[in-house]
Amino acid sequence: MAKWTPKHEAPEPLEGPVVATITGGTIIWFVLFLVQLPFYGWFEDHGHLWWLWTCLAGGGLGLIGIWYVRKRDAAIKRASTPESTSAE
């Protein structure tokens, strides 16, 4: 059996509005949590309480994601700007 080798290079990763995308997803998770919160009793009675906690966990992880992508975005911008001061 021959080893598979790619015939072309992989494309460059797409860069888009990453911070806005993660922020939007985090907001959606928290909204879903708040929408389901009044139905806590129904979810508990039917064994679907994990739906509520999944939304809360998604929102919490989204907050970590926002922090991460903001730091990443700032680092990318710092790396792309030339140094204004040079030590001679």
Side-chain angles (χ1 to χ4, degrees):
M1 182 183 268
K3 183 178 178 181
W4 179 81
T5 56
K7 297 183 192 263
H8 53 80
E9 289 187 32
E12 290 293 318
L14 295 175
E15 286 294 330
V18 180
V19 176
T21 302
I22 301 301
T23 302
T26 301
I27 290 169
I28 290 171
W29 279 115
F30 278 125
V31 166
L32 287 171
F33 172 75
L34 292 174
V35 166
Q36 293 179 14
L37 197 55
F39 304 102
Y40 184 91
W42 185 89
F43 284 123
E44 189 173 32
D45 293 343
H46 291 87
H48 298 300
L49 199 55
W50 64 272
W51 290 5
L52 188 70
W53 302 124
T54 299
C55 293
L56 187 60
L61 290 172
L63 290 175
I64 295 169
I66 291 170
W67 172 80
Y68 179 81
V69 296
R70 288 185 72 201
K71 294 287 185 183
R72 177 184 175 270
D73 196 38
I76 290 171
K77 286 179 183 174
R78 271 194 316 271
S80 67
T81 59
E83 291 281 330
S84 60
T85 59
S86 61
E88 291 183 21

